[in-house]
Amino acid sequence: MNTSNPQTPVQTVSQSSALTQDELKTLVGQAALQYVVPGELVGVGTGSTVNKFIDALATIKDQIPGAVSSSVASTERLLALGIPVLDANAVERLSVYIDGADEIDHHGHMVKGGGAALTREKIVAALSDKFVCIADESKLVDVLGAFPLPVEVIPMATGRVVRQFAAWGGHAVVRQKNGQPLVTDNGQHIVDVTGLQIRDPLAFEAEVSQWPGVVTVGVFAFQRAQVCLLGTAQGVKTLSF
Ligand code: 5RP
């Protein structure tokens, strides 16, 4: 089992009073502004923590030409706040991508996709020089796998993918919404997998990514974070990987 990496540089900005989880999200969302490069586009993730970042980004929107978004939900929020959104294909590279995570380990490997946006998140992350993860401290783990692992799958392959995870000792279910399989922004389904401990995230991502019908696995090891802004009771901790 991985233990905390004593060599991970940690920097803390102190906070005097106890903060709610929502306030911690606001804090890390605002802290992420320091990584936005004036005059350059920024990659924007998806989720409740990223929503705080988008709100903060609106306060400096005059300093950037716009954003590349990882979901319909983030696009709508960006546009509503007057931040232009560019198509990913119009962009060769981004200096930074800001996104949340469901889990992050001490090497910057993550599980993502709780908001079902993992495929577009991985695409925008791959376009970016630096991935800055914003999360509260409950997301920091020694070994990935406690949070249900999202996998985006073409609908006709979900049965086989569920059986493949069962053969590995996992338990996989197709995510539901209003009594029906949830449909992603890309028209696909999500399989959520529990019961696995992902001790080699790179090997796991490489293996599952090539299963027929798998669009994207929610392990982000090839597109890991270089920085994590972690909201803690003591304030924002900066982890560098
Ligand atoms: C969406 C994601 C999110 O980054 C992840 O689910 C964390 O979300 P939140 O900030 O709401 O906890 O991967 O697909």
Side-chain angles (χ1 to χ4, degrees), residues 179-193:
Q180 299 290 323
L182 176 145
V183 179
T184 68
D185 287 352
N186 313 305
Q188 312 303 340
H189 290 172
I190 298 285
V191 164
D192 287 309
V193 190

Side-chain angles (χ1 to χ4, degrees), residues 25 46-50 99-102 112-118 121 139:
K25 288 179 182 184
T46 298
S48 58
T49 315
V50 163
D99 199 358
D102 300 306
K112 292 183 44 54
L118 62 163
E121 290 173 343
K139 309 285 183 73

Side-chain angles (χ1 to χ4, degrees), residues 21 25 45-51 70-71 97 99-103 111-119 121 131 133-136 139 147 150 175 218 220:
Q21 192 180 31
K25 288 179 182 184
T46 298
S48 58
T49 315
V50 163
N51 284 346
S70 62
S71 65
Y97 177 63
D99 199 358
D102 300 306
E103 292 184 326
V111 163
K112 292 183 44 54
L118 62 163
T119 296
E121 290 173 343
F131 189 134
C133 176
I134 49 177
D136 70 80
K139 309 285 183 73
F147 186 89
R175 194 182 298 182
F220 282 52

Side-chain angles (χ1 to χ4, degrees), residues 42-234:
V42 57
V44 175
T46 298
S48 58
T49 315
V50 163
N51 284 346
K52 304 294 190 181
F53 168 66
I54 294 174
D55 294 347
L57 191 62
T59 67
I60 61 160
K61 66 182 175 191
D62 294 343
Q63 297 178 32
I64 56 164
V68 175
S69 168
S70 62
S71 65
V72 171
S74 288
T75 296
E76 287 173 351
R77 196 176 188 95
L78 287 158
L79 292 176
L81 289 168
I83 301 169
V85 176
L86 280 82
D87 189 286
N89 285 314
V91 172
E92 270 184 36
R93 60 164 281 277
L94 296 164
S95 48
V96 67
Y97 177 63
I98 313 282
D99 199 358
D102 300 306
E103 292 184 326
I104 182 163
D105 73 11
H106 296 275
H107 305 278
H109 304 134
M110 294 164 286
V111 163
K112 292 183 44 54
L118 62 163
T119 296
R120 296 187 189 194
E121 290 173 343
K122 205 172 266 192
I123 292 167
V124 186
L127 281 170
S128 305
D129 295 341
K130 179 179 278 189
F131 189 134
V132 176
C133 176
I134 49 177
D136 70 80
E137 111 184 295
S138 68
K139 309 285 183 73
L140 186 63
V141 298
D142 289 335
V143 179
L144 301 177
F147 186 89
L149 170 69
V151 185
E152 185 162 359
V153 180
I154 290 172
M156 72 173 286
T158 53
R160 183 166 187 275
V161 168
V162 164
R163 290 192 294 278
Q164 284 195 277
F165 278 119
W168 278 11
H171 177 67
V173 294
V174 177
R175 194 182 298 182
Q176 305 289 305
K177 186 178 179 184
N178 302 328
Q180 299 290 323
L182 176 145
V183 179
T184 68
D185 287 352
N186 313 305
Q188 312 303 340
H189 290 172
I190 298 285
V191 164
D192 287 309
V193 190
T194 52
L196 297 178
Q197 290 205 315
I198 303 166
R199 293 180 181 279
D200 186 343
L202 276 170
F204 188 100
E205 183 179 4
E207 168 73 18
V208 177
S209 295
Q210 51 85 40
W211 289 358
V214 167
V215 177
T216 303
V217 58
V219 171
F220 282 52
F222 289 95
Q223 270 76 46
R224 69 179 175 85
Q226 281 73 48
V227 173
C228 179
L229 302 177
L230 203 65
T232 77
Q234 291 76 42

Side-chain angles (χ1 to χ4, degrees), residues 2-10 106-107 240:
N2 289 337
T3 52
S4 177
N5 180 353
Q7 294 181 341
T8 301
V10 178
H106 296 275
H107 305 278
S240 304

